């Protein structure tokens, strides 16, 4: 038997008990006449008193940090108590000590403030996990799994596993392929999302589906992306957009309440257009205000005019930085205006005072603010003012870190024209239903179509996205046509979907949340890797298990493939 | 709004309510003066009364099976009640009816007794799922997920996701490979099990881990195997074999109680040797007795003698069938003895009556039994009598279908000599700890070593298997050597594991259960495919989504591979 108790549970009331405990040596303190060991396991730290080994120091001298030991002894009250540690009022008077395993000196400190850089921590991830900070992230993740499932169980969703080995679709520059041994030239693809299969579940009469599921995307590296990532995937039948927004807003409320103890108000809902016009972003961070304002109606300028107001002390260094910011973005027409005091302004170029006053009023500027006004092509200005807004929020420290500001963005434009390929791209995905009122544009004016789509954004991060789906084969085909898919491609890759729509496909829709990002947002962090037990690093490599790696010729032969460089 | 109620909830008490309902048309009964529709959704069937459409039959005539409709109407009491259906006392007097989607005539009947063969049902799996029998399997699976997690939560296990894209190991004839785009010649492998990663979690100080996880094995097809399958994967630190057997026996008791309402006694535990000697199998079906018995000590025969007793009426047809069974197995020396009455036997060859009496007594034969005695090489006889035992249990109908007879098999031999390759194979897996008392054989007599391994068998099926693991780099290396792994291979593929053992690896062990098989056993079925939403068929193909399939040349180019045939 390795233990009667773990290292986190003993208290004063246990004094006098004989216990067996096992764990890792976190620290040895040799005070000469007495030696203490901090014994650590998953659950806590308990102090061992080794006074019985006063005449047998040889045994103690063999011990080192991270050795695994088993001790037997009696729980006694400590002389000097440590009230910061839950077990800090007692210690174990050790009678027997057995070394279960040795340890080399770890390559970095097993402490929250470690001296290990990211690479070495990834290479020895099993040691990194021993640190409280990573261990607690893993425990947090587990808690979130539990509450996610509690919610969906309560709401009568059914968890269903969908296959990971699915059929390749050729538009997927982001597919991982798996050669099929039994037929050369044939491949599986790793599922990028259960999108089509969950739609088929709805067509199969499953009413409410969810799954916490691994998805795979062969993308180039970013710090908040992983080649394999986890999605909370959901789909419902007989629902419209509002049904979906309601239930999944309830879901996020539930999680925030259970995990963070936070109650939030109803989430704001913006259309894509509103979000762009107000924040210059389809994933606006609304932890701070500082909106953008269109200013055209006060001027007969042909170009689009838009402004933003900064609560910033005026100095030429800041002006210079701002000018530099926009110069990098190739924005040429910029006006800055300092709101000195009532009806008194200083501006980078001479402008009619009434125009300035109108602008300042529209932007809700206050005395002391700095107004930045851009002129030019609408899309470019909006987008860059959006980026500027985020940049300035950081420089001006406008974001109170520990708050949550979720909102819904809905009604994305369906299509975006792809000049290179002379066809449309879909802004959401091609299984999204167009707005019914826009169906009249479907054939002739597709760029006017809005989609029944919605994203959940929290603190400027896209946490989830979904849509009401197409359940009509004709509409689905027209959409595919606009996207430039050939008839052959449609038949080969989506033939089963279009066919399934002909057998009583119900109205349905759903959403998927990025679990890794959701957890990092819950923990007020940017890096998702710290919330994954074994994340991949730069370029999708796993430094610990050295993956990917070369495989033998004979394995390639079995797959009937040859590599070339 | 698509519905105020689903199709399974309305009862007599709801009479008078105005409701909106949506679903599929299961059946239309046109009685001339009145038309009824059975409306079906996930939750049940509700009868629609269309008497209001008496003068508008055109609309009704457009409807067909599996059309998706939405109706508004009032709940009324039925004239002729159907007490078999929970909603059978009421019907909906329809005032408005809207077709939400049409349906072609389905290619097979959406009934439990369908006319669709397996291929057509797989091709239209979304229609197959509409059948209660498959839908209920999916719901059962969901219930099992929930209870699995309830158990592990209660026992303080932490659910942790481990990566699916891992490093290839070359002994794996069963690897699926994933080409790594950024470096030709490099591959990921799809995880066959989280074995090493869960061990690293233990080394990382995680105390109790579990995961319901997809695993991948490129095996040739069998009806109870799938290329992607689901495992309940578990690992614990600071445990010995008995700790593991206790907790996971508790787990199975818990599931059987929650899912089936069944209370079982403590599971029997047999060593591998006992199981082979008594049942001729390492996964014995103990729903019936009919053990094998060694008979050598009553004879000076050099060859091994073993017998079994069948409660079977004597006739020459059965004798012939039995002889044919063993002839196919190339068993040459067989004696049959009919126990006619006390001290009276009839045997296929002349044998000393005392010898016969001794044999019959040893085998616990009763008057009327037929004794089958084999002579020959022990391994061959034991194995074939084991197969014969199962075969006869079917022919003699000895198995009461709806019972559960679990048992543990433990202490498998560690190694089996592989003549072809001149090295040992491991019977469990190479990370299993040898029995401590057998460590003395490790270098010179490895074939004498037993392992700290255990399988859970229910009704003759291996449901789970696991072991106490090695946590010592020296022992691990010796094991790898016996398995014929080169130094280079050990370093390349398992270097990280061996290194991890040097940093305070705790004693640990675990188990993994095959979830797909577990569910099928719970449902008293053999075919696991009916318990998977979208299973793969013959040869790992998905007939619905047509996967695997060909990919374009340009995709192959990106991966820097060429196919040859």
């Amino acid at each position: 038997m390795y233990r009667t108790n773990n290292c986190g549970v003993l208290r004063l009331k246990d004094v006098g008990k004989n216990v067996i405990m096992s764990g890792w040596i976190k620290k040895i303190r040799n005070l000469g006449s007495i030696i203490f060991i901090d014994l650590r396991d998953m659950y806590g730290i308990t102090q061992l008193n080794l006074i019985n080994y006063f005449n047998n120091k040889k045994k103690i001298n063999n011990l080192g940090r991270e050795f695994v030991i088993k001790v037997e002894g009696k729980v006694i009250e400590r002389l000097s108590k440590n009230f910061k540690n839950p077990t800090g009022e007692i210690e174990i008077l050790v009678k027997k000590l057995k070394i279960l395993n040795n340890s080399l000196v770890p390559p970095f400190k097993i402490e929250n403030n470690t001296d290990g850089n990211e690479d070495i921590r990834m290479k020895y991830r099993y040691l990194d996990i021993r640190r409280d900070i990573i261990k607690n992230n893993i425990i947090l993740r587990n808690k979130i799994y539990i509450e996610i499932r509690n919610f969906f169980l309560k709401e009568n969703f059914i968890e269903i596993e969908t296959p990971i080995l699915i059929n390749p679709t050729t538009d997927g520059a982001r597919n991982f392929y798996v050669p099929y041994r039994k037929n050369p030239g044939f491949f599986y693809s790793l599922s990028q999302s259960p999108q089509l299969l969950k739609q088929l579940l709805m067509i199969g009469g499953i009413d409410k589906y969810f799954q916490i599921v691994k998805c795979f995307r062969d993308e180039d590296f970013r710090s908040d992306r992983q080649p394999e990532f986890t999605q909370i995937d959901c789909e419902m039948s007989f629902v419209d957009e509002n049904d979906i927004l309601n239930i999944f807003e309830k879901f996020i409320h539930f999680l925030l309440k259970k995990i963070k103890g936070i109650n939030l108000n109803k989430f704001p809902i913006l259309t894509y257009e509103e979000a762009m016009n107000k924040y210059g972003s389809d994933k606006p961070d609304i932890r701070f205000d500082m909106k953008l304002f269109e200013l055209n109606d006060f001027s007969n300028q042909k170009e689009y005019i838009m402004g933003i107001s900064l609560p910033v002390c005026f100095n030429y260094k800041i002006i210079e930085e701002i000018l530099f910011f926009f110069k990098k973005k190739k924005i040429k027409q910029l006006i800055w205006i300092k709101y000195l005091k009532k009806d008194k302004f200083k501006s980078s170029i001479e402008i009619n005072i009434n125009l300035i006053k109108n602008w300042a009023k529209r932007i809700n500027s206050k005395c002391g603010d700095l107004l930045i006004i851009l002129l030019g092509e609408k899309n470019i200005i909006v987008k860059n003012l959006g980026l500027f807004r985020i940049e300035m929020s950081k420089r001006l420290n406008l974001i109170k870190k520990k708050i949550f500001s979720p909102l819904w963005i809905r009604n994305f434009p369906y299509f975006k024209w792809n000049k290179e390929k002379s066809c449309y791209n879909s802004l959401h995905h091609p299984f999204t239903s167009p707005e019914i009122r826009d169906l009249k544009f479907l054939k002739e004016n597709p760029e006017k179509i809005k989609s029944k789509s919605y994203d959940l954004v929290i603190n400027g991060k896209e946490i989830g996205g979904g849509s009401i789906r197409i359940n009509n084969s004709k509409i689905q085909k027209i959409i595919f046509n606009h996207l430039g898919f050939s008839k052959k491609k449609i038949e080969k890759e989506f033939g089963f979907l279009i066919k399934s729509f002909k057998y009583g496909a119900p109205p349905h829709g759903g959403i998927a949340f990025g679990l890794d990002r959701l957890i990092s947002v819950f923990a007020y962090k940017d890096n998702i890797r710290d919330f994954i037990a074994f994340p991949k690093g730069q370029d999708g490599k796993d430094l610990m298990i050295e993956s990917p790696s070369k495989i033998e010729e004979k394995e390639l032969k079995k797959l009937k493939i040859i590599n070339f460089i």
Side-chain angles (χ1 to χ4, degrees), chain A:
Chain A
M1 189 205 253
Y2 287 105
R3 59 189 175 193
T4 54
N5 302 80
N6 68 46
C7 297
V9 293
L10 293 173
R11 300 289 184 275
L12 259 188
K13 68 173 171 46
D14 300 304
V15 164
K17 283 185 189 163
N18 288 309
V19 295
I20 305 175
M21 296 175 87
S22 293
W24 287 264
I25 294 177
K26 185 178 163 61
K27 211 184 272 175
I28 304 177
R29 272 168 299 142
N30 193 331
L31 308 180
S33 60
I34 188 169
I35 295 164
F36 291 111
I37 285 179
D38 281 351
L39 189 69
R40 188 197 67 228
D41 70 8
M42 173 98 177
Y43 309 101
I45 291 169
T46 297
Q47 180 165 293
L48 308 179
N49 179 331
L50 295 167
I51 195 156
N52 289 330
Y53 287 76
F54 186 65
N55 296 317
N56 185 9
K57 289 221 173 146
K58 210 179 135 195
K59 180 144 196 182
I60 304 302
N61 287 338
N62 281 334
L63 299 174
R65 270 203 290 145
E66 300 305 318
F67 274 48
V68 187
I69 60 171
K70 172 178 144 180
V71 295
E72 293 187 46
K74 193 190 274 280
V75 184
I76 59 172
E77 185 170 357
R78 272 204 220 177
L79 286 179
S80 80
K81 298 191 169 63
N82 172 1
F83 292 101
K84 280 185 199 158
N85 182 349
T87 67
E89 294 182 78
I90 57 94
E91 63 191 16
I92 311 299
L93 186 63
V94 176
K95 289 170 193 165
K96 273 192 202 168
L97 187 154
K98 189 180 171 189
I99 298 177
L100 298 175
N101 217 340
N102 299 334
S103 178
L104 298 177
V105 176
F108 55 85
K109 279 190 205 155
I110 314 282
E111 304 279 353
N112 281 347
N113 284 317
T114 182
D115 52 352
N117 66 27
E118 172 126 356
D119 272 7
I120 193 99
R121 292 196 295 109
M122 286 299 153
K123 197 172 160 70
Y124 295 86
R125 184 64 166 176
Y126 47 88
L127 298 180
D128 203 23
I129 291 173
R130 286 188 198 164
R131 299 192 306 131
D132 276 348
I133 204 167
I134 304 292
K135 182 190 80 183
N136 289 336
N137 286 347
I138 290 174
I139 292 172
L140 170 67
R141 191 173 174 117
N142 180 58
K143 266 190 205 151
I144 289 181
Y145 293 146
I146 293 169
E147 295 303 343
I148 291 169
R149 292 196 163 99
N150 282 343
F151 178 84
F152 286 115
L153 178 62
K154 222 174 63 178
E155 297 286 343
N156 289 319
F157 282 69
I158 303 260
E159 185 160 15
I160 300 175
E161 289 177 80
T162 52
I164 284 175
L165 296 171
I166 61 167
N167 62 323
T169 53
T170 47
D171 59 322
R174 306 182 297 185
N175 276 339
F176 281 110
Y177 293 107
V178 182
Y180 176 62
R181 179 169 51 87
K182 287 159 203 150
N183 203 345
F186 283 66
F187 290 79
Y188 295 107
S189 174
L190 297 184
S191 170
Q192 290 188 32
S193 103
Q195 182 60 36
L196 300 189
L197 290 161
K198 70 179 174 176
Q199 290 191 238
L200 292 176
L201 286 176
M202 297 301 108
I203 296 167
I206 301 296
D207 211 69
K208 295 175 183 175
Y209 143 92
F210 89 103
Q211 187 183 190
I212 299 179
V213 60
K214 274 280 178 73
C215 302
F216 301 85
R217 232 169 257 174
D218 187 11
E219 282 179 313
D220 288 320
F221 182 81
R222 282 200 258 160
S223 81
D224 65 343
R225 292 276 169 95
Q226 286 273 315
E228 59 180 295
F229 56 97
T230 306
Q231 221 167 263
I232 310 166
D233 196 50
C234 315
E235 197 81 5
M236 302 167 80
S237 278
F238 302 113
V239 288
D240 61 24
E241 277 176 281
N242 288 328
D243 297 323
I244 296 215
L245 262 50
N246 283 337
I247 187 131
F248 292 105
E249 179 161 333
K250 195 171 159 192
F251 170 59
I252 298 294
H253 279 293
F254 176 89
L255 279 190
L256 278 168
K257 176 76 192 159
K258 289 284 179 178
I259 303 292
K260 311 292 296 182
I262 289 173
N263 288 307
L264 289 186
N265 293 330
K266 206 160 161 39
F267 302 172
I269 304 178
L270 297 182
T271 65
Y272 172 86
E273 220 176 324
E274 288 167 343
M276 290 310 286
N277 287 340
K278 284 189 182 166
Y279 300 103
S281 169
D282 60 357
K283 42 182 183 183
D285 191 335
I286 59 167
R287 283 176 293 181
F288 61 99
D289 195 30
M290 213 161 81
K291 293 194 186 72
L292 322 185
F293 289 91
E294 196 201 316
L295 303 174
N296 277 53
D297 41 350
F298 302 115
S299 148
N300 48 14
Q301 195 81 20
K302 274 185 191 163
E303 284 158 312
Y304 191 75
I305 312 176
M306 196 166 223
I308 192 170
S309 186
L310 310 174
V312 62
C313 289
F314 181 77
N315 66 54
Y316 284 98
K317 192 168 158 280
I318 279 190
I319 295 285
E320 221 162 275
E321 282 173 15
I322 291 172
L323 293 176
F324 182 70
F325 177 92
F326 284 109
K327 201 178 159 194
K328 274 192 302 182
K329 310 283 183 194
K330 292 175 186 155
I331 300 291
K332 282 173 191 149
Q333 298 188 73
L334 183 150
I335 303 167
W336 57 258
I337 300 168
K338 182 65 193 175
Y339 196 152
L340 296 170
K341 54 187 180 185
K342 193 165 187 304
D343 296 342
K344 190 98 174 100
F345 300 89
K346 177 187 178 74
S347 63
S348 57
I349 59 168
E350 217 166 288
I351 319 176
N352 176 304
I353 180 73
N354 285 324
L355 183 58
I356 291 189
K357 275 157 74 177
N358 280 330
W359 283 353
K361 195 177 165 199
R362 160 72 56 85
I363 308 184
N364 299 326
S365 287
K366 286 181 284 291
C367 286
D369 280 5
L370 178 67
L371 283 71
I372 302 294
I373 318 279
L374 301 191
L375 293 81
E377 196 188 312
K378 178 171 177 180
N379 286 343
I380 292 170
I381 285 185
V382 167
K383 190 181 124 196
N384 282 297
L385 267 183
L387 294 172
F388 178 64
R389 180 178 172 272
I390 295 297
E391 179 64 26
M392 291 313 290
S393 75
K394 287 176 193 160
R395 293 208 199 178
L396 302 176
N397 222 350
L398 297 181
I399 297 170
K400 290 167 234 136
K401 281 246 160 93
K402 305 222 160 176
I403 60 167
F404 292 97
S405 296
L407 82 163
W408 291 104
I409 310 294
R410 64 191 279 182
N411 281 113
F412 286 72
Y414 204 106
F415 293 111
K416 199 177 164 180
W417 184 250
N418 183 330
K419 276 180 202 165
E420 277 171 55
K421 295 186 177 169
S422 271
C423 67
Y424 290 104
N425 288 345
S426 53
L427 242 80
H428 238 253
H429 63 55
F431 314 108
T432 298
S433 173
E435 279 289 356
I436 300 303
R437 63 173 180 273
D438 296 340
L439 279 177
K440 57 182 178 292
F441 303 127
L442 193 56
K443 288 195 179 162
E444 309 296 337
N445 278 310
E447 70 280 3
K448 285 194 181 169
I449 297 175
K450 298 278 191 293
S451 67
K452 291 197 177 189
S453 54
Y454 30 81
D455 276 1
L456 178 72
V457 175
I458 303 181
N459 297 357
K461 285 186 178 143
E462 187 201 323
I463 297 300
S467 60
I468 297 294
R469 323 299 184 185
I470 297 167
N471 66 341
N472 175 298
S473 56
K474 279 177 204 146
I475 297 177
Q476 187 67 71
K477 274 187 191 165
I478 296 172
I479 298 286
F480 284 153
N481 285 335
H482 286 316
L483 296 172
F485 293 2
S486 71
K487 215 169 174 176
K488 196 179 141 202
K489 177 186 164 71
I490 294 173
E491 180 49 37
K492 178 173 178 289
E493 294 174 14
F494 304 109
F496 66 95
L497 181 74
I498 286 175
K499 190 194 270 174
S500 74
F501 288 163
K502 295 177 182 168
Y503 289 97
H508 64 287
I511 196 165
F513 299 94
L515 179 61
D516 307 301
R517 210 182 286 167
L518 181 79
I519 297 174
S520 71
V521 165
F522 271 39
Y524 312 106
K525 291 280 159 54
D526 286 326
N527 189 342
I528 63 169
R529 268 184 278 173
D530 284 346
F531 300 88
I532 297 171
F534 298 109
K536 306 235 183 324
Q538 207 74 31
D539 285 335
K541 286 182 183 160
D542 185 320
L543 296 176
M544 181 180 64
I545 62 175
E546 288 179 40
S547 141
S549 62
K550 281 207 167 181
I551 64 172
E552 289 177 21
E553 281 299 319
K554 64 169 191 193
E555 295 293 305
L556 289 176
K557 255 184 206 158
K558 260 192 246 161
L559 301 175
K560 305 226 170 37
I561 56 178
I562 302 173
N563 255 118
F564 63 89
I565 298 177

